[in-house]
Amino acid sequence: MELSEYVQKGFQMLADPGSFDSNAFTLLLRAAFQSLLDAQADEAVLDHPDLKHIDPVVLKHCHTAAATYILEAGKHRADKSTLSTYLEDCKFDRERIELFCTEYQNNKNSLESLLGSIGRSLPHITDVSWRLEYQIKTNQLHKMYRPAYLVTLNVENADPRTYPKISFSCNMEQLQDLVGKLKDASKSLERATQL
Amino acid sequence: MLLDLSEEHKEHLSFLPQVDSAVVAEFGRIAVEFLRRGSNPKIYEGAARKLNVSSDTVQHGVEGLTYLLTESSKLMISELDFQDSVFVLGFSEELNKLLLQLYLDNRKEIRTILSELAPDLPSYHSLEWRLDVQLASRSLRQQIKPAVTIKLHLNHSGGHNTSILQTDPATLLHLVQQLEQALEEMKTNHCRRVVRNIK
């Protein structure tokens, strides 16, 4: 993990009981996780009465440093020993290291979930709806008498505002072909997971 | 059900008895070819010269024949009804037989062509799939994220459309389940009754 001097300096300040007492340390740590994981969090996350006595510049620096480190650790799936080593280098005492690791462990799943969801992907199918109709006639062709399906795929795109739908019609043979191919795919998937 | 032929139409068709059956058969072939590929006015000129008539006459004859065939195919009229409809034109028995044969031989293909004129929704052509496992991304390493990538081929208004989509294993199973239900629906009593009774 590559971490800048800025982050290291921030952590060194965080390690100092003179700048951050136990309570302030815990609050700042929680604030860092909250900023990252809580969708509704904003700047008010640092507006706690027990943090008021600390210089806002220092507060911001440490908050940013902690958040940066948490993201890097999450990205690389850091384990407890990696975390401990780095925090020791930043002169954290045993108690603070334990606190950090516990807090990290509590938030690990949400963090990894969040990081995993970032990124570009192909349009993602989320649902399907279908309609079966019996075609009787058109103005060009009478006495048709055949069933037809209209299938609509709900698709989620990278851009959260667009939810395009892909619709198409097909007859019975075509739908059987489609279902057959999808079943092949899911059987392959099953086999692959058993390897 | 009898065909309703207008006076103008009957007039155009009146050219047919004036030529021999080989020519009528040829006109029939041209009519169907024009339905398949669109009309080609040059053909009218060539035929007009050979038959020593105006190219308009040839054109009307072919168009009249085309309309006769398409209307009959569209309504899917029975042999008997076709014969009765053509009877009013006062043609020879040989010509009537020829026209009936033209109708029966080409009906299926003409109906296929007519079905392409219906309001067009994209229709299914085929589907390709691929199994992928995402191992890492810029924001998260050491992942095992299975996904199915799908290339859906659709036809629309003569053109070919391809969509590349992705889905996860759970949704894939859901899709299969939903669409299998759709297929099952045709076998239910309700649907069978409708199919049996609407003729």
Side-chain angles (χ1 to χ4, degrees):
Chain A
M1 295 198 295
E2 295 273 317
L3 293 150
S4 64
E5 237 188 83
Y6 180 89
V7 172
Q8 195 165 29
K9 266 229 183 75
F11 265 31
Q12 282 164 349
M13 283 194 271
L14 210 47
D16 176 23
S19 314
F20 286 87
D21 60 38
S22 265
N23 193 22
F25 175 82
T26 312
L27 283 169
L28 187 97
L29 195 55
R30 297 238 169 95
F33 279 102
Q34 197 181 347
S35 301
L36 293 171
L37 300 172
D38 183 356
Q40 267 94 37
D42 52 20
E43 305 86 49
V45 80
L46 291 174
D47 266 352
H48 196 279
D50 289 349
L51 294 172
K52 286 269 186 302
H53 62 283
I54 306 174
D55 175 8
V57 174
V58 170
L59 208 53
K60 242 188 164 180
H61 188 154
C62 296
H63 177 254
T64 309
T68 310
Y69 182 72
I70 292 167
L71 285 177
E72 276 302 296
K75 177 161 95 181
H76 291 280
R77 306 220 187 220
D79 57 11
K80 188 164 177 189
S81 84
T82 313
L83 296 177
S84 303
T85 311
Y86 184 76
L87 297 174
E88 267 168 27
D89 287 345
C90 295
K91 313 275 191 287
F92 271 43
D93 62 41
R94 202 69 254 156
E95 190 198 331
R96 292 194 179 195
I97 294 181
E98 277 308 310
L99 254 158
F100 189 97
C101 290
T102 311
E103 203 61 32
Y104 184 83
Q105 197 54 40
N106 290 345
N107 288 292
K108 197 158 113 83
N109 284 341
S110 311
L111 183 64
E112 281 170 9
S113 197
L114 177 67
L115 289 171
S117 70
I118 298 172
R120 292 193 204 289
S121 67
L122 294 169
H124 194 101
I125 303 175
T126 53
D127 201 358
V128 65
S129 43
W130 54 267
R131 185 180 86 191
L132 170 59
E133 60 190 22
Y134 195 56
Q135 291 174 345
I136 304 177
K137 62 160 75 166
T138 70
N139 64 336
Q140 303 289 354
L141 198 59
H142 294 202
K143 301 194 188 169
M144 284 170 76
Y145 308 133
R146 60 177 187 214
Y149 288 93
L150 181 62
V151 177
T152 301
L153 297 171
N154 293 57
V155 175
E156 229 171 57
N157 234 336
D159 181 357
R161 283 161 296 150
T162 66
Y163 284 94
K165 290 188 193 210
I166 298 188
S167 292
F168 57 90
S169 68
C170 55
N171 59 31
M172 269 206 93
E173 289 77 40
Q174 289 167 331
L175 187 59
Q176 279 165 342
D177 180 66
L178 172 61
V179 173
K181 296 213 169 97
L182 291 179
K183 274 171 108 160
D184 283 344
S186 71
K187 280 199 202 110
S188 266
L189 199 54
E190 241 186 85
R191 255 179 277 134
T193 57
Q194 281 158 6
L195 289 169
Chain B
M1 167 188 252
L2 291 181
L3 281 180
D4 196 9
L5 303 170
S6 69
E7 283 312 311
E8 193 189 1
H9 190 190
K10 288 186 200 163
E11 205 192 300
H12 291 174
L13 287 172
S14 65
F15 175 56
L16 295 181
Q18 294 170 27
V19 294
D20 47 67
S21 15
V23 176
V24 177
E26 181 63 14
F27 279 8
R29 197 195 56 79
I30 295 174
V32 177
E33 190 57 31
F34 281 5
L35 281 173
R36 272 187 216 126
R37 303 237 178 115
S39 67
N40 183 0
K42 288 197 228 147
I43 307 247
Y44 295 141
E45 282 159 35
R49 250 179 287 125
K50 261 197 259 165
L51 297 167
N52 217 2
V53 293
S54 74
S55 104
D56 272 353
T57 312
V58 175
Q59 182 171 350
H60 289 161
V62 173
E63 284 176 0
L65 193 54
T66 309
Y67 186 72
L68 179 68
L69 291 172
T70 51
E71 274 304 288
S72 312
S73 303
K74 161 176 156 181
L75 299 167
M76 195 72 174
I77 59 177
S78 63
E79 268 188 55
L80 199 53
D81 284 345
F82 184 86
Q83 283 170 321
D84 289 345
S85 308
V86 165
F87 187 72
V88 303
L89 296 167
F91 292 165
S92 70
E93 179 151 349
E94 194 197 341
L95 185 52
N96 287 351
K97 248 200 180 137
L98 180 59
L99 291 175
L100 177 64
Q101 204 51 49
L102 260 175
Y103 168 55
L104 293 174
D105 286 344
N106 291 294
R107 174 165 66 181
K108 190 159 182 216
E109 186 180 355
I110 294 176
R111 282 179 69 81
T112 307
I113 297 171
L114 289 175
S115 71
E116 290 166 17
L117 294 169
D120 192 23
L121 290 162
S123 70
Y124 175 79
H125 181 258
S126 65
L127 177 143
E128 300 169 66
W129 58 266
R130 186 182 81 187
L131 229 46
D132 290 330
V133 179
Q134 180 168 307
L135 300 174
S137 69
R138 181 178 167 184
S139 38
L140 188 62
R141 313 286 194 258
Q142 297 171 38
Q143 299 181 43
I144 300 183
K145 201 167 166 187
V148 180
T149 304
I150 292 174
K151 197 170 184 183
L152 183 62
H153 295 264
L154 300 174
N155 291 328
H156 194 187
S157 310
H160 200 99
N161 225 347
T162 308
S163 298
I164 303 191
L165 308 162
Q166 208 170 47
T167 191
D168 54 84
T171 309
L172 180 63
L173 290 174
H174 170 71
L175 295 180
V176 169
Q177 185 198 45
Q178 286 297 310
L179 294 176
E180 276 185 322
Q181 274 182 17
L183 283 172
E184 280 304 304
E185 201 54 33
M186 264 317 283
K187 301 189 197 151
T188 60
N189 281 334
H190 175 78
C191 290
R192 285 193 212 258
R193 236 179 286 134
V194 168
V195 171
R196 252 201 317 267
N197 290 309
I198 298 187
K199 283 249 180 280

